[in-house]
Amino acid sequence: MSFVIKGDVGEDYRLRDLRDTKSDADGAFSVEVVIPSDLSLDANLNAYLRARTNTTKTETVFDLVA
């Protein structure tokens, strides 16, 4: 599981690995993470939590509020 800040054109601006996790036989997983506290400088950029395997990735977007 990674925390990702994306720049204006969608490229990864900052990526921080948060923790490893494993999925069940159906590919589902659940994990708790702590969002890094030093993100106020990135409050106007797009923030995502990303989970990925060797072949796929999924992202969930959220808003940073400074």
Side-chain angles (χ1 to χ4, degrees):
M1 178 71 60
S2 301
F3 178 81
V4 182
I5 298 288
K6 290 190 177 184
D8 293 333
V9 292
E11 79 282 356
D12 290 356
Y13 169 70
R14 184 191 313 188
L15 180 120
R16 189 175 307 175
D17 289 331
L18 299 176
R19 64 179 297 173
D20 292 337
T21 188
K22 292 187 179 193
S23 62
D24 63 18
D26 296 323
F29 66 94
S30 177
V31 64
E32 290 184 24
V33 296
V34 176
I35 302 302
S37 62
D38 62 343
L39 298 175
S40 60
L41 295 176
D42 297 320
N44 294 324
L45 300 174
N46 296 318
Y48 298 81
L49 286 176
R50 176 185 290 168
R52 71 180 198 181
T53 67
N54 290 335
T55 58
T56 61
K57 72 178 177 182
T58 186
E59 297 176 335
T60 299
V61 65
F62 62 94
D63 293 327
L64 290 176
V65 178

